[in-house]
Structures are given as C-alpha cells and as structure tokens.
Amino acid sequence: MRSSTILIYFLLCYVCSIVKTIKDEDFSEFDDFDQDEFVIETPSSTSAPPPSSSSKTQSNKLESTNDENIPQSKLTETQDDEVSIDDDDDAMFDEEEFETSDLFSSSTSSPDFKITEVPANLTGNRWEAYYCEAIMMIALLGYLIHFLIGRTKNSQLATIIYNSQRDLLERNFALVGDNGQTRNTQSSDEQINTMHKESENLYILWCSGRISMDSMLIELRFIKRQCLFNSLAALIKSINDTIVYTIDYGKDDMDTFVFCLARKRCAAKLHRDMNDLSQFCAERKNADKKGLSSNYQLLSELGEVSSAIIDTRVAEFMDKFPDAVEYIHISDQYTGMKGQNGDQQTPSTSSTNTGSAAQQQDALNISERSVRRVLIIAFNLISYKDRSLQVSCENLSSDYLRFVLYLIDRVSSFRLTSKDSKMKAIKNRQRIDEQFLKNVNQQRQEQAQQRREEQRRAEKEKIMQSDDPELQRKWEEKEHKREMKRRQPKMKQMKIKAM
Amino acid sequence: MDNRRPARIHRFRPALITQADDALPDYMNLMGMIFSMCSLMLKIKWCAWVAIFAALVGFANSRTSDDAKQVLSSFMLSISAVVVTYMQNPAPMTIPFMQ
C-alpha cells in the first residue's frame, strides 16, 4: 500500500516535469536574458545555459527549498559562469527535474495536480476505519444483554414471591388471579402459575372473594432492571423494590376515618400529593409517642384512630422488620393523587368512548364524589442479614401477607367509639362535600356561559355573512337591549330594598 | 375458619392499577422518529444510530398493554434510516464534536 502511493507520487512528479519542460520550450522566446550571466567566464563548469536563464532565475528561488540542489543553485547564483548549452543539457534537465519537484512541493505556484487524500475506508484494512460504528454496535449489544438479564431477574423475583404467597392466598380468597377478560372467574392453570405481567418491572395479582372486604390488588413494583439507565439511576437514588397491597372495602366494611403511617422520606410527599390526606389530615406527627421508631410519621384525622390501629401486633412487626413498611394508608375518602384523577371523574365514566366535552358533562352531572374505601400497605423488598434479595423475598413475603391479612380484619372490625370523633368526621366530610359541590356549580356556570358566547358568535357570523344591513341593525339593537337589561336589574333591586 | 366467600367476588378492572407517571416510552418513540427523519433528510449517520438506541430504550420501558405495532414501526424506521444513510454514503461515521 505504501509502495503503491510512492509509485503514484513519482509518476505524477515525472508527468509534471514533462509538462514543465514543454511549457518552458513553448515560451522560451519571451524569456528575459541577463547578459551578465553569459559574458563572464568562470572556471567552474556548473552553470545554466542562457536560453533557460530566466527559468533558472525563477527556479533558483524555488531551489532553495530543495536540499539536494542547494549547493548547485548557490554555485549558479554566485558564480558568473560561461554557459555552454550543449554540455549541461543533462545537468540542466536533471536540475529542472528537481526544480519541478520543488515547484510541485511548494505551494506558491498553482498546482496542476492535487494528490487528494484517499478515504481511509478504501485503503488498506477497510474495516478499521469503521471504529465508530463498532462502538455503537457494542453499545447496542450491551444494552440488549442488560435488558435480557434484568428482565429475567425481575421475572424470577416475581415467581419466587408468588410461590411463597400462593398457599396463603388460596386459603383466604375464593378468586386468586384474574385479568378481567375471561368469561368465567374459574381461572385456568396458566393464570394460577404466575402473576400477570403489566410491564417488565410491574407484576400484578388480583384476589377477591373474602369476608369483610371486596378485593385486593397485589402489585410488585420492581426497579427497572431491564433498562440500563434506570438501573444506574436506581443505584444512585437508592430506590428499592416494593410490594403494594391495595385492599378495597365495601360500603359497610369500614368506619369513616383517614389515617396514614409513613416513613419520613415519603410522608411529606404523600401529605402533599394525596387528595384525602391533604384535605383531612392537618399535620404530621412523629411516631415516637406511639412506640415506633423515629423514622416514621403519623397523619391522622382523628386521634382515637392512631392508638387503635397501632396496637401491639403492629409494633412487634415494625420492630422485627425495621425498614420493611414504607407506608400504611387507610381512608374512606380515597380519590387518588392530586391532578391525576379529579374529584369529579369516576373510573366507570372514563371507560366510555364519548368526546371529552360529553365526559365533562357527565362528570358535572354527578352530585356525589366518587370515593373508595381503601387500605394501602407498601413494603420494601430489601435483603436482610447478608442474604441475597431472592432468598430474603422468599422468606419474608409470607410474613408480610400475614400482617396484611391481620390489618384487613383489624380495620374492618374497628369502629369509632367517642361521639366527638364521629361528629368531627361527619363535619369534615360535609365541609369537603360542600366545597366539591361549589366547584361543580362553578364549572357548570362557566360551561353555560361559554355555550352562550359561542351561540352569540355563531349568530353574529350568520348575520354578518347575510349582508343585509337591516338584519345587522336589528341584531345590534337586540345586543344593546340585552346589555342594558344586565346592568339595570341590580340597580332596581337596590331601590326596592331601600324602600 | 374459612374466610373465603365466593359470593363476594369482584372482577378485575384495569383502571384500578395505580397510574404510573412514566412517559419515557412515548418520549423515546418520538425521539426515535425525529432522529430517523434527521438522518434520512440531512444524511447524518450518528442520528440514525441514536434513533436505533431510542427505539430500543422505548421498547425496554414499554408496558404490555401498549400497542406492539408502534414499537415495531419505530424499530423499522430507525433500521431503514441506518441502511439508507449508509447506502447514500458508505464512508465511516464522523462524530462532529470529536473532530
């Protein structure tokens, strides 16, 4: 490869030299002769002939760059020699040959030939030039491998947790595992074997058919191990895998109260984001007073509830598994997070396929808020006592489920005893309901106003388009009368009252 | 004591799953499409590779309930962007800020 480039180089030099000589011969009659060069005799023989003296003077300047010809050029410049044309033809030719190489290498004269750089992918080992592509391919393959490994890990964890809880679930629930699509609730073998995969990091299991409750949804929210960036972010932020039990109660299954026990890191967030906690719970208190660790905070609507819910069994569990419980949220006014689902919209209306305006209309026609009675418990899945996460999950998940079942029964059997608490609960709910109705009325009025304005605009456009001046005048008079009517009644009412 | 009550069975409703605010798969699909268009129209090779990456990340973070056609179309578009860009100019990729 290198020899080929050198060969090409020399070939081009030769071609250039030939072209140069042809040029010189063509224009030799226009050369300016310096008489001094030809008259003075010197002993040295190395000198240029008169016809080519101009070219020699030109080339002499250029020869200074060429190492081989510097001594010769100096001699020719300094010494005024007699030049014989015949003897030094070969020398001259050789000089010119080297001169043209100078010409060629120097950038002062306009080059006729350019040696363009051959692209790296066409010379030598072509694949070496594609190193960027190789890096991208390796990155893509690396991400894909990480995806497969992460997905398998999450799936294994889900299977382990399901297998450890399955017996207890089947003993307590008539229906374990339902995707809501099959006609019969008698699930096939496929559904029983694994949890339903909602995404690569979210597995769910629906359980129903038990005393004192309607249903339970178990959600395994894993770290997104399938995505490289998310797993790195999880390492930095120290996010855990969580298992969330969401229990829905029937209307008569639980009493009216709102309560939350949460770790400090998420208590503030829940208090801010959850509708019911922000509306019913005034402040957060430390859980030290109830015998729990200082890591936890209490949000309670009624003081009676905290001491009833946090009994000895709960305290023992919290001592045995210090960081297991992330939060316990009990509420009969659960409406989700702020801004996600408004107070007015219900899950049932959102499934209709009507337009958004019609949905809004349906939402505004509802006179009651749609609330759920829930018990939500979130556990952290962390490895204990230097065991792997999988082994810890296998051992602990059944303990967590027993605790959940205990709490379900505790909440459903608890009833408020003091009259003050009951009155306070009723007052709070009335207050919130009134606020809700006010909002709904306001929105209805705004909608009605908008509709009226739209109708007027439509009328105006029709009348303007009709190009009938009389119609326009009549419409403008009507508008004027309407505006006067709007202003006048207030004044009249004031007068009557004064009388 | 048997706590099971078949009479109190309620069917599962997908709306009861807590909504995750994760819009990453949608953003990744959109990014994939934008980069594919850039690479096809402006003949920029690294855009095509980034489009494949975005499609892959979107696929990894997608939910099971999402339409598989969208993810697949994103992949196909990014792969076609790479192929067409290299057919137009087989020279190796150059990253602008690395030069």
Side-chain angles (χ1 to χ4, degrees), chain A residues 209-395:
Chain A
R210 190 184 185 271
I211 54 164
S212 69
M213 54 176 275
D214 278 353
S215 62
M216 178 166 81
L217 180 68
I218 305 174
E219 289 170 288
L220 298 179
R221 294 185 202 161
F222 294 130
I223 302 165
K224 284 192 176 181
R225 291 185 177 84
Q226 74 274 16
C227 179
L228 183 64
F229 307 113
N230 279 95
S231 46
L232 289 171
L235 275 173
I236 295 165
K237 289 185 197 173
S238 66
I239 297 169
N240 294 322
D241 299 313
T242 50
I243 177 167
V244 182
Y245 296 87
T246 307
I247 294 103
D248 275 90
Y249 287 99
K251 216 171 182 183
D252 301 322
D253 287 330
M254 76 175 269
D255 211 342
T256 55
F257 60 91
V258 175
F259 171 82
C260 182
L261 170 70
R263 292 191 73 174
K264 268 186 183 170
R265 65 184 181 187
C266 69
K269 201 180 158 196
L270 286 170
H271 197 196
R272 188 187 62 227
D273 293 338
M274 289 290 174
N275 276 324
D276 53 348
L277 292 175
S278 60
Q279 285 168 352
F280 291 93
C281 302
E283 54 179 4
R284 298 195 304 272
K285 295 174 194 170
N286 268 331
D288 293 355
K289 297 166 191 175
K290 300 291 174 186
L292 302 173
S293 80
S294 54
N295 266 342
Y296 288 91
Q297 287 186 331
L298 280 169
L299 291 99
S300 183
E301 183 191 4
L302 309 163
E304 185 187 340
V305 172
S306 343
S307 26
I309 298 293
I310 304 174
D311 56 3
T312 48
R313 180 85 184 263
V314 171
E316 274 173 19
F317 182 86
M318 305 282 277
D319 282 336
K320 196 177 169 190
F321 305 107
D323 296 320
V325 174
E326 186 68 16
Y327 63 85
I328 299 172
H329 182 185
I330 311 171
S331 173
D332 73 313
Q333 298 285 314
Y334 183 75
T335 48
M337 291 177 72
K338 281 182 188 174
Q340 214 174 43
N341 290 319
D343 283 349
Q344 294 121 14
Q345 287 177 1
T346 60
S348 55
T349 53
S350 63
S351 62
T352 57
N353 288 327
T354 53
S356 59
Q359 272 185 350
Q360 282 178 12
Q361 194 58 46
D362 289 339
L364 290 172
N365 285 337
I366 297 162
S367 58
E368 280 182 2
R369 291 184 304 135
S370 62
V371 294
R372 288 165 62 190
R373 290 160 195 80
V374 294
L375 161 66
I376 305 174
I377 310 173
F379 293 100
N380 289 317
L381 294 168
I382 39 182
S383 53
Y384 281 102
K385 296 175 187 174
D386 297 330
R387 292 177 196 169
S388 74
L389 182 61
Q390 289 180 348
V391 172
S392 304
C393 288
E394 201 172 355
N395 295 334

Side-chain angles (χ1 to χ4, degrees), chain A residues 130 133 136 140 170 178 182 185 197-198 206 208-211 213-214 219 221 224 226 253 340, chain B residues 3-5 8-12 16 18-19 21-22 49 53 56-57 60-61 64 86 90 92-93:
Chain A
Y130 291 93
E133 282 80 0
M136 290 302 286
L140 283 168
E170 282 176 357
D178 182 27
T182 53
T185 54
K197 188 162 88 170
E198 193 60 26
W206 178 260
S208 187
R210 190 184 185 271
I211 54 164
M213 54 176 275
D214 278 353
E219 289 170 288
R221 294 185 202 161
K224 284 192 176 181
Q226 74 274 16
D253 287 330
Q340 214 174 43
Chain B
N3 291 326
R4 289 179 289 184
R5 297 287 181 272
R8 291 197 68 166
I9 286 177
H10 294 259
R11 298 303 303 276
F12 170 67
L16 289 173
T18 42
Q19 304 282 330
D21 286 334
D22 187 25
W49 287 104
F53 219 77
L56 193 57
V57 173
N61 288 287
T64 319
Y86 276 91
M93 176 168 69

